[in-house]
């Protein structure tokens, strides 16, 4: 698993939270599971699987949301709270309802009226204060803020109900049982009971109460021919594996070893402990757990991947090459796994491995260009082989992705001057220069020299 930072804020499953920097967890196995469990729902929503992504956020709250475009963000806490893959499919179906209905784009329709009410109350309140009616003015402003918030929350609840209905429709169309959607709402309902439903004002929530959602959705889901259809056993097995490895990665080693003690000889136990021991700084124990996984399933690319990662990060890059090569080939050159393999080839500091590193990393960046670490590794490999022009192009790609258009433009110009004209790399450098220049001209204050 790899961490990337993202700023996220949008329509969410449970409750409004402040905008904050959060880390994205990139993991080949998890992303493949998300893709396979969501594709039928994406198609049922009338969307293209090529355009929709499900992304894992490292956050222990039980939450999911959509932000811009067609990306569904799922918190790690939600996966930990879910009992099975079908529950996660229910959540994804709900979030696709937001995407299909354009709720993120239409957010202004709820915010502007609420803001107008608030601003009007402030104007009237300040006028009253200026006229000497201080208490009346303050009351007007408070009432206006309350009315504005109430109007926005009512708008939000309407959108959530709409997304619920759409999500149920997508499940039924895809032939996936809606039992997971309802059972997950019951998980949320239990949280409401623990808090005390009597303490929750239903009119001050972004979402309808879970009991209402269950009541509204039960009939339409139970009438579907898919209601009694079992969830895909293979998908459920993949979910249990992902959930175990996720716990090993995000939870404290002590918590993981409590949930998966060394007496647990299941694949899930070995998987969770491999990450926990690696995280805690016990490479020998971590390696032993990864070897147990490989012994059970020698051809599993994800088990080979974790062993290679453990060896690489323990300072044994040469030993890591075998399992990482097997993982790359076994996963059909999954770009995340291939990037780790390319990193290991470079880390051996053996010049004989650098050409292979370039080949592997070019494929990885070609299949997943939204990976700054892959571009960094590719640039390093080019630099080590003396190809400074393409090293600069890789730097330009990474800088452009991270919003550093000044560095992107400078590096791409160097690449343009030193790469043969009209080749694919030269054309790509030209594109980066033009895009970076346009962004700097459109946002002069952002790039003003200090």
């Amino acid at each position: 698993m790899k961490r990337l930072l993202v700023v996220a804020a949008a329509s969410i499953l449970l409750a409004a939270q402040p905008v904050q920097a959060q880390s994205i967890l990139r993991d080949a196995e998890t992303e493949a599971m998300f893709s396979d469990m969501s594709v039928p729902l994406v198609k049922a929503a009338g969307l293209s699987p090529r355009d929709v992504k499900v992304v894992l956020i490292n956050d222990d709250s039980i939450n999911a949301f959509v932000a811009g475009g067609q990306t569904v963000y799922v918190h790690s806490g939600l996966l930990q709270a879910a009992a099975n893959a079908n529950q996660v499919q229910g959540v994804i179906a709900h979030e696709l309802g937001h995407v299909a209905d354009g709720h993120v784009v239409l957010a202004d329709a709820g915010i502007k009226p609420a803001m107008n009410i608030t601003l009007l109350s402030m104007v009237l309140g300040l006028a009253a204060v200026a006229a000497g009616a201080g208490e009346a003015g303050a009351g007007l402003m408070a009432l206006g803020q309350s009315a504005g918030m109430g109007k926005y929350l009512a708008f939000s609840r309407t959108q959530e109900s709409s997304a619920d209905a759409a999500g149920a429709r997508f499940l039924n169309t895809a032939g996936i049982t809606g039992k997971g959607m309802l059972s997950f709402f019951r998980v949320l309902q239990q949280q409401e009971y623990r808090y005390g439903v009597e303490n929750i004002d239903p009119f001050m929530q972004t979402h309808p109460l879970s009991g209402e959602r269950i009541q509204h959705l039960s009939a339409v889901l139970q009438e579907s021919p898919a209601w009694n259809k079992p969830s895909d056993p293979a998908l459920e097995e993949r979910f249990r594996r992902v959930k175990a490895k996720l716990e090993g990665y995000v939870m404290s080693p002590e918590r993981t070893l409590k949930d998966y003690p060394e007496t647990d000889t299941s694949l899930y136990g070995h998987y969770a402990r491999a990450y926990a021991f690696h995280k805690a700084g016990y490479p020998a124990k971590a390696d032993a757990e990864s070897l147990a996984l490989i012994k059970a399933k020698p051809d599993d690319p994800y088990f080979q991947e974790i062993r290679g990662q453990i060896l690489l990060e323990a300072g044994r890059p040469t030993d890591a090459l075998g399992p990482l090569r097997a993982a790359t080939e076994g996963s059909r050159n999954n770009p995340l796994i291939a990037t780790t393999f390319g990193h290991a080839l470079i880390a051996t500091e053996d010049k004989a491995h650098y050409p292979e590193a370039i080949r592997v990393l070019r494929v990885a960046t070609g299949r997943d260009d939204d990976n700054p670490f892959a571009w960094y590794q590719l640039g390093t490999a080019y630099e080590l082989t003396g190809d400074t022009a393409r090293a600069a192009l890789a730097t330009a790609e990474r800088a452009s992705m991270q919003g550093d258009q000044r560095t992107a433009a400078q590096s791409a110009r160097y690449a343009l001057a030193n790469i043969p004209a009209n080749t694919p790399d030269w054309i790509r450098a030209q594109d980066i220069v033009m895009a970076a220049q346009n962004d700097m001209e459109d946002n002069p204050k952002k790039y003003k020299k200090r």
Side-chain angles (χ1 to χ4, degrees):
M1 288 189 169
K2 305 292 182 184
R3 295 175 188 261
L4 297 172
L5 288 181
V6 65
V7 174
S11 172
I12 60 176
L13 180 67
L14 293 181
Q17 293 182 342
V19 178
Q20 58 183 350
Q22 295 172 301
S23 60
I24 286 178
L25 295 179
R26 297 291 312 270
D27 174 65
E29 184 176 15
T30 303
E31 291 181 3
M33 180 195 72
F34 276 151
S35 176
D36 290 344
M37 69 164 49
S38 64
V39 162
L41 296 166
V42 172
K43 291 180 178 178
L47 303 169
S48 170
R50 291 179 298 177
D51 299 330
V52 177
K53 292 194 300 182
V54 182
V55 175
L56 183 63
I57 295 283
N58 185 19
D59 190 308
D60 62 5
S61 60
I62 306 174
N63 204 357
F65 59 89
V66 292
Q70 297 184 17
T71 302
V72 175
Y73 294 91
V74 177
H75 284 199
S76 57
L78 189 146
L79 285 191
Q80 292 297 312
N84 52 58
N86 187 229
Q87 289 186 347
V88 179
Q89 285 181 302
V91 172
I92 292 173
H94 167 92
E95 297 304 332
L96 289 174
H98 286 301
V99 175
D101 291 346
H103 288 170
V104 175
V105 177
L106 297 174
D108 281 352
I111 294 173
K112 286 182 178 179
M115 185 65 71
N116 290 339
I117 292 173
T118 302
L119 290 175
L120 178 61
S121 69
M122 288 181 65
V123 170
L124 295 175
L126 290 172
V129 171
E135 289 187 10
L140 276 171
M141 287 188 282
L143 285 172
Q145 289 177 347
S146 178
M149 177 60 73
K151 188 169 185 64
Y152 172 73
L153 291 174
F155 173 82
S156 177
R157 288 193 300 274
T158 299
Q159 285 198 326
E160 295 303 326
S161 294
S162 171
D164 283 347
R169 188 169 65 252
F170 301 156
L171 287 165
N172 291 346
T173 302
I176 297 172
T177 178
K179 289 181 179 179
M181 174 178 264
L182 293 186
S183 63
F184 196 74
F185 280 142
R186 292 190 184 97
V187 171
L188 304 184
Q189 190 176 39
Q190 289 302 313
Q191 287 201 331
E192 294 170 359
Y193 286 148
R194 283 196 293 270
Y195 178 76
V197 176
E198 67 276 5
N199 297 322
I200 299 176
D201 182 350
F203 298 105
M204 293 304 292
Q205 305 303 309
T206 57
H207 296 61
L209 293 180
S210 299
E212 296 177 17
R213 302 170 85 173
I214 294 169
Q215 183 179 0
H216 292 156
L217 293 172
S218 292
V220 68
L221 289 171
Q222 291 173 6
E223 289 171 359
S224 168
W227 174 251
N228 288 315
K229 180 181 177 181
S231 183
D232 181 359
L235 185 60
E236 294 296 343
E237 167 65 14
R238 293 168 67 184
F239 172 77
R240 287 189 288 270
R241 284 177 44 158
V242 165
K243 187 171 179 177
K245 74 188 293 187
L246 178 63
E247 171 156 342
Y249 188 78
V250 303
M251 297 293 187
S252 67
E254 294 78 15
R255 165 68 183 274
T256 302
L257 292 174
K258 180 180 178 181
D259 291 342
Y260 297 93
E262 292 185 68
T263 54
D264 180 353
T265 58
S266 68
L267 285 179
Y268 321 119
H270 290 305
Y271 219 0
R273 291 193 301 273
Y275 277 94
F277 284 136
H278 181 53
K279 181 178 176 180
Y282 295 99
K285 286 188 173 183
D287 191 32
E289 298 290 354
S290 71
L291 285 170
L293 292 169
I294 292 172
K295 182 179 179 180
K297 292 194 172 185
D299 298 326
D300 191 301
Y302 304 119
F303 293 166
Q304 294 284 356
E305 178 196 19
I306 180 57
R307 181 157 197 257
Q309 184 179 345
I310 289 167
L311 293 170
L312 173 61
E313 295 177 8
R316 298 167 57 188
T318 301
D319 293 335
L321 294 184
L324 287 175
R325 181 176 281 109
T328 301
E329 293 172 355
S331 66
R332 299 181 181 180
N333 294 300
N334 177 278
L336 289 177
I337 296 176
T339 296
T340 306
F341 180 36
H343 179 199
L345 288 164
I346 295 168
T348 63
E349 299 183 355
D350 184 342
K351 293 180 180 179
H353 289 145
Y354 297 161
E356 183 180 11
I358 290 173
R359 290 195 301 272
V360 168
L361 291 165
R362 280 192 72 102
V363 172
T365 53
R367 296 183 65 183
D368 179 12
D369 60 358
D370 192 20
N371 186 342
F373 184 70
W375 287 112
Y376 174 78
Q377 292 300 320
L378 181 57
T380 300
Y382 277 132
E383 191 73 36
L384 290 169
T385 57
D387 191 344
T388 56
R390 286 179 176 79
L393 178 57
T395 298
E397 293 277 14
R398 181 164 57 94
S400 177
M401 188 183 311
Q402 296 175 324
D404 183 359
Q405 302 301 346
R406 182 176 286 115
T407 298
Q410 292 172 346
S411 299
R413 287 194 187 99
Y414 179 87
L416 269 176
N418 293 280
I419 291 175
N422 300 317
T423 61
D425 285 343
W426 184 88
I427 293 171
R428 178 57 187 156
Q430 187 179 58
D431 290 343
I432 293 174
V433 170
M434 293 176 63
Q437 192 62 45
N438 288 340
D439 188 70
M440 288 189 287
E441 289 174 0
D442 291 342
N443 302 281
K445 291 183 179 180
K446 180 180 177 182
Y447 295 99
K448 184 178 180 181
K449 291 184 178 180
R450 291 181 174 86

